[in-house]
Amino acid sequence: MQQVTRKKLGTGINLTCVTTPKFKRAVLRVMLLLPLGGADAACRACLPHVLRRGTAALPDLRAIGAALDELYGARVEAAVRKEGENLCIGFLADCIDEACAPGAAGTTAGVIRLLADLLYAPCLSDGVFRAADTAGERENLIDRIAGQKNDPRAWAARRLIELMCAEEPYGQAALGTAEQATRITENKLHAAYQRALGEAQIELFYCGTLAPDEVEALFAETPLVQPRSGKPYLPHTGIAAQPSGAPREVIEEENVTQGKLSLGFRTGGSCLTGGDPAAYWLFQTAFGGSTGSKLFVNVREKQSLCYYASAQFVASKGLMIVNSGIENRDFACARDEILHQLESCRNGGITEAELEGARKSLVTSWRAMLDDPLALERYWMGQAAAGTLVSPEDRIAQVEAVTSEQVAEAARQTTLDTVYFLKGAAK
């Protein structure tokens, strides 16, 4: 049985502990929560990768690697994420759980100290980040931004969000823009680093066998919980229950062989913090979230209008996104059939068998999360960014109680906002 506790360790500093004997490796996280977008966007996306290159005591990757080897093969990775309209940057680590290895006492403390040093004691030159580290990670960031187009399926979904949420922070990319990235210097990056430390909400996480009080004490021995002046950023995400106007349709051409059709919907306010998210998850699963869904069975299998078709509930922002791969000639037919299946759901067209199949699929996915410490870390990061504390077990109980009428109502609350078609122009 997992015990989840959340405690405020200081102004703008929170610790979430998942105490469980289930896993052989403990997972830790140190994350800064900041507003999405803005002038510092690319610098902030670059920052954890530069910090990961060395500390004052461990000045290069070789030294850090040796230290991790001493900590029973612990691992530390830089992380850049988008949770709602919040940017999350920092470090994710895992190490052997002390209860699983004789002689491993102190391993968790060692990893926590390293995480604190990576964030608060970076390797500097003349008071700023080293030029070589900055240049290397700047180029890596430019490559990551450019490389987003290499996956047309993901790019179409990303482009839909940019268009759909152009007037909202959610439309901004976590990595910033290529133009911002090319202007990163060691001085600009260090200034952005100092601003981030002063402004961010700090989210700490631990999943393992240690008791919450023990974990709190380990973090308290580091600068991670040091008092900070000023008022830290309070994570938040604006939810638009309905589109601001009539549905838009945007068609763009790229040198791809298969067209990508994406439709963006507003959920009527259903999200992590409002509406009826449990009913919406169940509706989304029955509509396009499983192999028994309306989109998969009817649009893909029966009518062969697409190579794939799926729906995703973006609960952090109150959106539903449908993604599909189609032949260019099938654009109008596929779009209309997707909307026809939505109308069927609104009119109670989800059968009892379809509903129960979707419920079973959704509950199984939630239960699988309880068996994956990295999935739990990501889940609780999303909860922290949304300001909620609903466990996966509670979500399961909510989904199991949802009625067919609630599902139909969730479908009726769904309104089309934007249609995006990435038209294949390859010969």
Side-chain angles (χ1 to χ4, degrees):
M1 182 67 181
Q2 297 177 354
Q3 173 193 351
V4 180
T5 58
R6 182 167 169 83
K7 187 172 182 180
K8 182 176 180 179
L9 303 187
T11 302
I13 306 169
N14 303 297
L15 169 64
T16 302
C17 286
V18 178
T19 308
T20 174
K22 198 170 191 176
F23 310 115
K24 288 181 168 45
R25 295 188 70 83
V27 171
L28 298 109
R29 176 240 297 146
V30 173
M31 205 75 83
L32 305 182
L33 270 65
L34 293 153
L36 193 62
D40 280 348
C43 280
R44 288 172 173 174
C46 188
L47 184 57
H49 296 280
V50 170
L51 292 172
R52 177 63 177 78
R53 283 185 172 233
T55 71
L58 304 169
D60 53 37
L61 293 173
R62 184 188 297 269
I64 290 178
L68 291 171
D69 287 342
E70 290 293 321
L71 292 167
Y72 286 76
R75 296 175 293 189
V76 176
E77 296 180 358
V80 179
R81 300 177 184 168
K82 176 178 175 177
E83 293 286 353
E85 293 179 345
N86 308 288
L87 176 69
C88 310
I89 60 172
F91 305 101
L92 180 64
D94 73 335
C95 62
I96 193 166
D97 196 291
E98 297 176 24
C100 298
T107 300
T108 306
V111 173
I112 289 174
R113 286 193 298 270
L114 177 56
L115 292 172
D117 286 348
L118 286 169
L119 186 60
Y120 280 102
C123 189
L124 304 177
S125 175
D126 296 325
V128 296
F129 292 114
R130 293 177 294 192
D133 291 347
T134 304
E137 294 303 337
R138 178 182 62 232
E139 295 307 310
N140 288 340
L141 177 60
I142 292 171
D143 289 344
R144 284 196 296 275
I145 293 172
Q148 292 177 134
K149 274 196 169 184
N150 293 339
D151 182 350
R153 182 171 179 171
W155 175 254
R158 185 177 291 108
R159 185 76 181 112
L160 170 70
I161 293 296
E162 289 177 358
L163 295 164
M164 187 176 176
C165 303
E167 303 301 320
E168 303 165 77
Y170 194 73
Q172 301 295 311
L175 299 181
T177 67
E179 182 182 0
Q180 289 175 329
T182 58
R183 297 199 299 265
I184 294 174
T185 66
E186 52 269 28
N187 289 282
K188 287 182 179 179
L189 187 63
H190 192 262
Y193 161 70
Q194 291 179 310
R195 286 191 292 271
L197 284 184
E199 298 171 10
Q201 175 168 304
I202 299 177
E203 285 293 333
L204 309 174
F205 176 87
Y206 169 81
C207 176
T209 60
L210 294 180
D213 289 347
E214 295 179 82
V215 178
E216 179 185 348
L218 295 178
F219 277 111
E221 295 173 357
T222 73
L224 290 168
V225 295
Q226 66 186 4
R228 296 184 297 158
S229 58
K231 188 176 181 181
Y233 170 68
L234 182 63
H236 63 277
T237 297
I239 305 296
Q242 302 294 332
S244 58
R248 295 175 298 161
E249 192 167 280
V250 179
I251 300 176
E252 296 178 340
E253 289 193 5
E254 288 288 345
N255 189 34
V256 295
T257 56
Q258 186 187 101
K260 308 297 178 185
L261 172 62
S262 296
L263 290 80
F265 301 85
R266 303 286 177 170
T267 66
S270 287
C271 60
L272 287 177
T273 55
D276 191 349
Y280 209 93
W281 261 304
L282 190 51
F283 154 64
Q284 166 259 316
T285 305
F287 178 57
S290 71
T291 55
S293 68
K294 293 287 191 183
L295 296 185
F296 188 93
V297 172
N298 295 289
V299 185
R300 181 185 185 275
E301 295 294 296
K302 290 184 178 179
Q303 300 196 39
S304 300
L305 288 172
C306 56
Y307 298 100
Y308 63 86
S310 63
Q312 175 193 7
F313 175 31
V314 186
S316 62
K317 178 60 180 169
L319 306 177
M320 184 176 71
I321 307 299
V322 172
N323 294 307
S324 63
I326 64 173
E327 293 291 341
N328 290 341
R329 64 177 180 271
D330 291 329
F331 163 62
C333 290
R335 176 202 60 202
D336 293 347
E337 185 58 31
I338 289 169
L339 295 176
H340 173 71
Q341 294 302 322
L342 173 60
E343 190 62 28
S344 174
C345 294
R346 288 171 174 158
N347 295 328
I350 299 175
T351 67
E352 191 65 26
E354 289 172 332
L355 184 64
E356 292 311 310
R359 197 190 313 270
K360 183 177 180 180
S361 174
L362 189 56
V363 168
T364 298
S365 68
W366 285 112
R367 286 180 176 154
M369 183 186 300
L370 299 173
D371 294 327
D372 184 346
L374 292 174
L376 286 170
E377 181 277 323
R378 188 65 186 255
Y379 175 85
W380 288 109
M381 183 74 257
Q383 295 292 295
T388 59
L389 196 65
V390 181
S391 70
E393 294 95 334
D394 289 340
R395 292 294 185 200
I396 290 171
Q398 292 170 0
V399 165
E400 288 178 334
V402 170
T403 66
S404 58
E405 178 52 36
Q406 286 176 282
V407 172
E409 181 59 26
R412 288 191 287 269
Q413 293 294 319
T414 301
T415 308
L416 179 64
D417 186 298
T418 303
V419 175
Y420 175 71
F421 181 40
L422 183 66
K423 187 177 181 180
K427 299 296 183 181

